[in-house]
Amino acid sequence: DQQVKQNSPSLSVQEGRISILNCDYTNSMFDYFLWYKKYPAEGPTFLISISSIKDKNEDGRFTVFLNKSAKHLSLHIVPSQPGDSAVYFCAASDVDSGYALNFGKGTSLLVTP
Amino acid sequence: ETGVTQSPTHLIKTRGQQVTLRCSSQSGHNTVSWYQQALGQGPQFIFQYYREEENGRGNFPPRFSGLQFPNYSSELNVNALELDDSALYLCASSFGREEKLLFGSGTQLSVL
C-alpha cells in the first residue's frame, strides 16, 4: 500500500509565481520527510528536508511545511523559475525502517515563461 | 566530488535470465541503497548495505540480492527475471545511515 501519496500528477505554474506541491502520508511513525527533484535521464537529487519536530524549514526559494495532525506536507517554491521544471518526489522515513525512504509517485512541475 | 555511477545505463534481458547491475559510490560514502522505479511510480526501496552487510530490506523476493565490496562499490543481482522487473534501478550512497541520499542516474532494465 502507498504510504506516501502525491495526488497531483502534474502542475503548471507561470514563471515568478508560487509553486505549491502537496504530499500526504498515512504512517504516523514517519519522523523525517524529504523532497527530491528529478530531471529526465538523471537520478533524483535531494532538495530539502524536515524533521517531525519542526513545522517549517526554509532554504532559499524552497520552503517545506509539515502539518503532523493532518499528516500533510507541502513544498513551496517562490519565485518559480523555468529551471525548476522537473518531477518532484516526496519521501518519508522512520528510524525503525532503517532509514529506508518511502516515496510518493511524484508531481511533474512545469514552469512556463 | 565523484558522484554515484551506475553501469550499464540500459539493459535488455529475457524472462528467466539473470542480471547484475553495478554501482560505484561517492568517494567517502560507506552506505549504499538500491531502489526500483517502475514506470509512473516513485522509487521503491529494495535494500541497503552498510559496511558490507545488509542493513534493511524492502518488500522484494529473495531473487533480488546484493553485495557491497570493501571499496563500497555495490552490485544488485536479480535471478529468474520476470516481465514486472522491467524498471529503472537506482543506486544511492550516503555516509552512514541517513536519508539524504546521493543517487546515480540509474540502469534502465527491460525484460522481454
Side-chain angles (χ1 to χ4, degrees):
Chain A
D1 63 334
Q2 195 83 17
Q3 298 185 76
V4 177
K5 298 177 184 178
Q6 294 177 257
N7 293 319
S8 298
S10 63
L11 176 67
S12 184
V13 171
Q14 272 194 316
E15 181 178 6
R17 300 284 185 104
I18 183 172
S19 295
I20 300 176
L21 294 90
N22 293 304
C23 177
D24 298 292
Y25 60 96
T26 57
N27 188 342
S28 58
M29 298 300 293
F30 287 149
D31 57 6
Y32 198 69
F33 304 89
L34 308 92
W35 287 92
Y36 279 82
K37 179 170 73 173
K38 187 179 186 299
Y39 293 115
E42 294 183 13
T45 55
F46 169 75
L47 190 59
I48 192 169
S49 62
I50 187 167
S51 164
S52 60
I53 62 173
K54 295 185 174 181
D55 55 19
K56 176 182 173 182
N57 189 26
E58 195 171 349
D59 183 2
R61 297 187 297 115
F62 303 91
T63 303
V64 57
F65 295 92
L66 175 62
N67 182 335
K68 289 187 291 294
S69 60
K71 293 192 179 70
H72 177 85
L73 65 156
S74 60
L75 174 68
H76 293 211
I77 306 173
V78 183
S80 301
Q81 298 173 355
D84 295 329
S85 298
V87 178
Y88 289 78
F89 290 101
C90 173
S93 73
D94 66 271
V95 171
D96 289 341
S97 69
Y99 305 94
L101 294 181
N102 294 268
F103 282 88
K105 291 185 179 182
T107 296
S108 180
L109 173 66
L110 177 64
V111 180
T112 57
Chain B
E1 189 174 280
T2 55
V4 176
T5 56
Q6 293 187 242
S7 62
T9 54
H10 295 84
L11 200 52
I12 299 175
K13 291 285 189 177
T14 55
R15 194 170 51 184
Q17 284 188 313
Q18 179 266 341
V19 69
T20 297
L21 310 182
R22 293 180 174 84
C23 173
S24 182
S25 300
Q26 161 73 25
S27 176
H29 284 185
N30 57 12
T31 304
V32 65
S33 304
W34 286 90
Y35 286 80
Q36 179 198 67
Q37 186 180 9
L39 193 62
Q41 304 294 316
Q44 270 200 299
F45 175 69
I46 303 175
F47 43 57
Q48 182 185 83
Y49 279 82
Y50 173 65
R51 293 184 175 177
E52 302 177 56
E53 290 192 4
E54 188 178 290
N55 184 52
R57 188 178 186 92
N59 190 25
F60 280 82
R63 59 189 185 84
F64 285 77
S65 63
L67 279 173
Q68 186 184 30
F69 300 101
N71 66 354
Y72 303 126
S73 64
S74 176
E75 285 182 356
L76 165 64
N77 298 290
V78 187
N79 293 321
L81 283 167
E82 300 177 0
L83 298 179
D84 284 349
D85 296 333
S86 295
L88 179 68
Y89 288 83
L90 294 162
C91 171
S93 72
S94 60
F95 180 73
R97 289 166 285 186
E98 63 163 15
E99 297 91 341
K100 296 175 190 174
L101 305 178
L102 182 65
F103 280 90
S105 299
T107 294
Q108 185 66 53
L109 173 65
S110 298
V111 182
L112 306 178

